[in-house]
Amino acid sequence: MPAPNLDVAVIGEIYVDHVFSGFTRWPAPGEEVTTEAYTREVGGGAAATACGLARLDRTVALVGLVGADDRDWFAAGLARYGVAPDGLRIGNGASGTTISVSTAQDRSFFTHIGVNRDVGALAAGEGLAVLLSARHVHFAMPVPRAVAEQVLPALKTAGITTSLDMGYQPEWLADPANRATLAAVDYLIPNEKEAELLCGSTDVEAFFDAAEALGIAHPMVKLGVRGAAAREDGHTVAVAPPPVDAVDATGAGDAFDAGFVDALLDGTDSKTRLQRGCITGSLSTRQPGALAAIPDRHELRSTHDRFY
């Protein structure tokens, strides 16, 4: 088998993100509120993680579907971060679109799924060749079981490691058929709400016990402003995030994934994986949107040296 030409292939849903922030209150029905804080950027968890990895000098391709009218715009946006557009394919319909609206206390999303509905078929179809060209594949999506049964064994046979951030997907997580997928990936990267869906408890140790019972390798969980935790060799490892003046937490979990996967590629221990994830996740919140404040390799190292 030829040597991989990518460090990471990231596959998942891709969106045109319209991000509005800086509102002091939510409007009442029929009212209008205005803000000067607006940005339009490539969005979706897959794009945020891919761009975060590219900022850390990893060679990355994003695999996903976009509308025909937006393909060049997506490719140009990804190129600014050094992400290869090799895995972008034209879907049958309009691009996925999300409007994010936030105040200092809360945020809400309005989303059109668009061509993202077919990304599972892409993974098992023409996108598979791109996945097989990487050292590591990160799934930023709830992988359909039929797709997992086809794709995960092919990646394992090729010696390619895998990680999964399925997002908040109650129905997918409740489906017993997907337990085999959770056990088949090398690294599951849930947040605490997703972990609660899996174990029925907000207790981290309860999740780790449930994860081990399900056969999940290397159990860990993202804990938001409290950092992250993992169980390694029967012991719990907890890491706090570096302090930042947070402006917008959009995409922070996906930025965490970038730091976590970057550490995986270096063969580090669980503590270092959590530390890098906490750094990239925390620093990504310093500006509106998911991409504007993601750190580069120098900032990752300097933050690590100062805080840890």
Side-chain angles (χ1 to χ4, degrees), residues 34-229:
T34 63
T35 181
E36 295 296 323
Y38 165 78
T39 184
R40 176 177 180 248
E41 64 184 15
V42 178
T49 300
C51 290
L53 282 160
R55 286 279 286 167
L56 298 176
D57 301 324
R58 298 298 185 179
T59 54
V60 187
L62 178 60
V63 180
L65 294 167
V66 298
D69 293 343
D70 299 316
R71 204 274 181 188
D72 291 344
W73 178 82
F74 276 109
L78 293 171
R80 287 196 292 272
Y81 292 88
V83 176
D86 305 32
L88 293 184
R89 297 292 185 270
I90 303 299
N92 182 24
S95 298
T97 301
T98 290
I99 298 172
S100 170
V101 182
S102 63
T103 66
Q105 292 78 33
D106 205 354
R107 59 193 170 120
S108 294
F109 302 92
F110 304 85
T111 296
H112 169 66
I113 300 296
V115 294
N116 288 307
R117 62 183 177 274
D118 297 323
V119 70
L122 176 66
E126 59 180 313
L128 183 57
V130 180
L131 304 185
L132 288 168
S133 70
R135 293 169 53 199
H136 181 91
V137 172
H138 178 71
F139 294 91
M141 57 184 286
V143 184
R145 184 60 198 150
V147 173
E149 289 176 334
Q150 180 177 345
V151 174
L152 292 178
L155 297 176
K156 185 173 183 178
T157 298
I160 298 167
T161 56
T162 55
S163 54
L164 169 64
D165 183 342
M166 64 272 141
Y168 188 74
Q169 300 287 338
E171 291 185 7
W172 189 91
L173 287 167
D175 188 343
N178 292 322
R179 293 178 181 176
T181 300
L182 298 176
V185 295
D186 295 304
Y187 296 90
L188 179 69
I189 316 179
N191 65 26
E192 55 190 329
K193 290 187 179 296
E194 295 147 11
E196 182 181 356
L197 288 174
L198 281 170
C199 72
S201 172
T202 59
D203 181 70
V204 170
E205 297 299 333
F207 167 67
F208 289 155
D209 291 341
E212 290 181 347
L214 289 170
I216 295 172
H218 315 290
M220 61 79 58
V221 60
K222 296 180 283 191
L223 300 172
V225 297
R226 304 196 318 279

Side-chain angles (χ1 to χ4, degrees), residues 223-292:
L223 300 172
V225 297
R226 304 196 318 279
R231 180 176 287 179
E232 184 173 43
D233 299 327
H235 300 286
T236 296
V237 179
V239 170
V244 297
D245 293 324
V247 174
D248 182 6
T250 301
D254 306 307
F256 177 104
D257 295 352
F260 187 91
V261 171
D262 176 69
L264 280 178
L265 292 169
D266 285 341
T268 66
D269 60 14
S270 63
K271 184 176 182 179
T272 303
R273 296 194 292 267
L274 298 180
Q275 288 173 342
R276 289 197 198 175
C278 283
I279 292 170
T280 51
S282 295
L283 269 56
S284 74
T285 68
R286 296 170 296 175
Q287 295 184 44
L291 303 181

